[in-house]
Amino acid sequence: MQASTETSLSGKQNGVGMTLLRQPIIPFALVLACLPLALVVTLVMPIGPMYWDHYIYLDAANRIFDGQVPSVDFFAPVGGLGYYLFALWIKIFPNGPPLLLASWSLLTLTAPLMALVIADVQKRSVPLAYALLLPFLLFSILPFNTGDFYPYPGSDGFGVYNRQICQLLYVLAAGLVFVRGWKTLAAVTALCMLGLLFIKVTGIAAGVVLCLMAFAAGRLPLRAAITSGLVFVAVIGLAELSSGIVSAYANDILSLVLLNDTSLIPRLLQAASINFGVVLACAFLCLALFLIETEFFEKAKAFAARPGFAAFGRFADQSLLWLAAFILAGLLFESQNTGSQAFIFLWPLLLAIMLETWERKGPSPAFAAVTLLALSAALPPAVIILQKSARAWIGSANNTPLQSHNLKSLGAVSVRDLLNVRAERMRRSYIDDRSTYEAVAASGELPSFLLYSDFEFQSLWLQSADEAVSALRTFETDHEMRFETIMTIDFTNPFPWLMDRHAPKYIAIGADPYRAVPPVNDEMNAAVAAVDVALYPTCPPTTARLQLLDLYEPALAATHRRIKLSPCYDAFVRNELLPKP
């Protein structure tokens, strides 16, 4: 009796388990529910190349909490949606690692949309739903790029918004290829396109290519296209009427275009060379599909003989053309990037191509060739991200947590001991031989060609910032005053967030003077002149910092006095806050 009861219980448990597995939405929800466990505590992240890139999210969130609107009140290198999502998540998880918050906050948008896709697909095929869901979770949860920018393993703190665009394109591609319900497809298309627009405008160029391909092939029905288009326009109109953010964003985009006026062809070739393996595999797959799809010319002739939308749709709805459009979309987006999860959105299409080839050819050499080439394009991005994640976290076993007092969750990073030693040695050299490094920067060179990727530069930046906050607090105590507005003459400015203060309006975030700082105007000059303190890092002087100093110092000259705040920071303090002579 006991044995039969145990068997019965086991059978019920297995039955429940199988029921759960037959509903991919349920495991999806369970995985998402586990993510906050990594955010309620301050998880120590292994530092990585260009790690400071994601500090701009802290600056943006702090400005948003102050009531500032991206593009309206400050110049931003990308759209404001990612910053708003990050601000929401850091409000809920104040101790969460900023890098994970910046990366995972996009799930606020992508998770519900992917759930719609999965709910539609699982009605027809549970394995197919899992085949779409599992890669999505991999790319969304592991915040790593598919490209390498440094030989040592570490966290990828840069290119967050580029990865987010790729994840949105993945959801859009999955919807366009596999969703059958037109209402679901309209919702996924509209919201993905809005997300692409308001995270990074180059993403919508890729999204338009995907949507045009789906519409031409008849996979995006006219009523779904019209509905999604109306929703898209309505949301843009409401956003503009309520805040003016759309026109301000358009002005920022125009400024970026003028600052980065380079020919598209070289950038496309560069994108193709960086992602050569994927592009080559897809090129061979296109050739294989051309040879397999013998009706290609027949459909072309039929369309030429009787032109019409239906005939064009039959011609356009061929795997070869779908793949060519997807590759074009990927190259357009990657031509404007540094750091990304390049071409991950190919997987839904490649999966559909393999399934279609199986249905038409069965277990044949043609199917084997298509599968081999499709997997050659799809697997490398996933394998690279898994490998980089494993290397970063396994390698962090040899790391030591950074010691800090004022950095909040920003300081929860770890660095190898030998790099900490190097950082301290370089710090001493930057301090003792400052004139030498200033001369190097003035000549147009950096101390190291890969300076911003060097781990010791990133750890030294954090240590210097920690020291600068202590020096600011000491200055305030000694002079019985308080700095309310803080800016930096540097790439990133998390100091207002670190000290619970304010950032001035109109100062660009992610201040790369070569790519993302607009020309100074009267509004910006007035904001700089009114700031309480402007921090200028000197360990080391760099070409970008010198250019930013040239940009902002004229506005500071009459209203501020330059003092040595700490060994690695000078400060421009507003005259009214200094003791009277």
Side-chain angles (χ1 to χ4, degrees), residues 14 28 57 68 129 163 199 236 246 259 262 286 309-310 363 376 413 421 437 442 451 455 471 474 479 530:
N14 290 336
F28 185 20
Y57 284 86
Q68 294 190 35
R163 295 197 295 264
I199 289 179
I236 289 177
V246 178
L259 288 168
T262 57
C286 283
F309 188 77
S376 296
V413 297
V421 171
Y437 289 102
L451 180 70
F455 288 20
T474 300
H479 296 86

Side-chain angles (χ1 to χ4, degrees), residues 172-188:
L172 178 62
L176 293 173
V177 173
F178 285 109
V179 168
R180 296 293 180 263
W182 77 268
K183 293 179 181 177
T184 299
L185 185 55
V188 170

Side-chain angles (χ1 to χ4, degrees), residues 356-374:
E356 182 184 30
T357 306
W358 173 263
E359 291 175 358
R360 296 175 59 189
K361 301 293 182 180
S364 62
F367 173 73
V370 166
T371 301
L372 177 63
L373 291 170

Side-chain angles (χ1 to χ4, degrees), residues 61 77 174 193 198 244 299 341-342 441 515 526:
M193 293 297 282
F198 286 112
K299 291 182 178 180
Q341 291 180 341
R515 299 175 59 243

Side-chain angles (χ1 to χ4, degrees), residues 65-199:
F65 294 148
D66 278 348
Q68 294 190 35
V69 177
S71 296
V72 176
D73 295 314
F74 61 90
F75 184 91
V78 292
L81 178 59
Y83 302 137
Y84 278 106
L85 294 177
F86 175 81
L88 171 65
W89 278 54
I90 201 170
K91 198 75 171 177
I92 299 171
F93 304 106
N95 295 320
L99 175 55
L100 295 184
L101 291 171
S103 300
W104 292 353
S105 60
L106 184 70
L107 287 166
T108 311
L109 176 61
T110 55
L113 294 179
M114 196 64 193
L116 288 175
V117 173
I118 297 303
D120 184 275
V121 173
Q122 72 180 18
K123 297 174 186 176
R124 301 184 302 277
S125 171
V126 170
L128 179 57
Y130 275 112
L132 294 171
L133 175 60
L134 295 179
F136 169 79
L137 288 174
L138 169 70
F139 298 131
S140 299
I141 293 175
L142 297 181
F144 289 87
N145 300 317
T146 51
D148 287 315
F149 289 85
Y150 205 68
Y152 273 16
S155 302
D156 283 345
F158 67 100
V160 173
Y161 37 77
N162 293 329
R163 295 197 295 264
Q164 291 179 336
I165 289 293
C166 293
Q167 291 158 23
L168 271 168
L169 288 173
Y170 183 99
V171 177
L172 178 62
L176 293 173
V177 173
F178 285 109
V179 168
R180 296 293 180 263
W182 77 268
K183 293 179 181 177
T184 299
L185 185 55
V188 170
T189 302
L191 294 175
C192 280
M193 293 297 282
L194 285 166
L196 292 170
L197 173 63
F198 286 112
I199 289 179

Side-chain angles (χ1 to χ4, degrees), residues 63-64 67-81 83-84 198 238-253 504-509 518 521 523-524 527:
R63 291 168 183 255
I64 288 170
Q68 294 190 35
V69 177
S71 296
V72 176
D73 295 314
F74 61 90
F75 184 91
V78 292
L81 178 59
Y83 302 137
Y84 278 106
F198 286 112
L238 288 174
E240 175 63 18
L241 290 173
S242 61
S243 64
I245 193 173
V246 178
S247 57
Y249 183 30
N251 288 332
D252 282 359
I253 293 167
K505 288 185 176 182
Y506 313 123
I507 308 300
I509 66 172
N521 55 32
E523 197 173 48
M524 189 186 300

Side-chain angles (χ1 to χ4, degrees), residues 471-490:
L472 285 170
R473 295 191 191 281
T474 300
F475 189 95
E476 289 177 328
T477 301
D478 290 345
H479 296 86
E480 298 181 345
M481 46 77 66
R482 176 182 170 91
F483 296 115
E484 290 295 342
T485 54
I486 304 173
M487 69 170 283
T488 57
I489 305 173
D490 198 12

Side-chain angles (χ1 to χ4, degrees), residues 284-362:
F284 279 117
L285 180 56
C286 283
L287 178 60
L289 292 171
F290 178 75
L291 296 175
I292 292 170
E293 293 181 349
T294 53
E295 69 275 15
F296 183 88
F297 289 109
E298 295 175 6
K299 291 182 178 180
K301 289 179 181 177
F303 171 65
R306 278 190 161 184
F309 188 77
F312 179 74
R314 286 189 292 272
F315 169 71
D317 190 19
Q318 299 187 75
S319 298
L320 167 63
L321 298 180
W322 274 92
L323 185 56
F326 272 51
I327 289 296
L328 174 60
L331 288 175
L332 281 174
F333 180 63
E334 294 305 324
S335 68
Q336 307 299 317
N337 288 344
T338 300
S340 176
Q341 291 180 341
F343 291 98
I344 63 170
F345 65 91
L346 287 176
W347 173 243
L349 177 63
L350 294 173
L351 181 60
I353 289 173
M354 288 187 288
L355 292 173
E356 182 184 30
T357 306
W358 173 263
E359 291 175 358
R360 296 175 59 189
K361 301 293 182 180

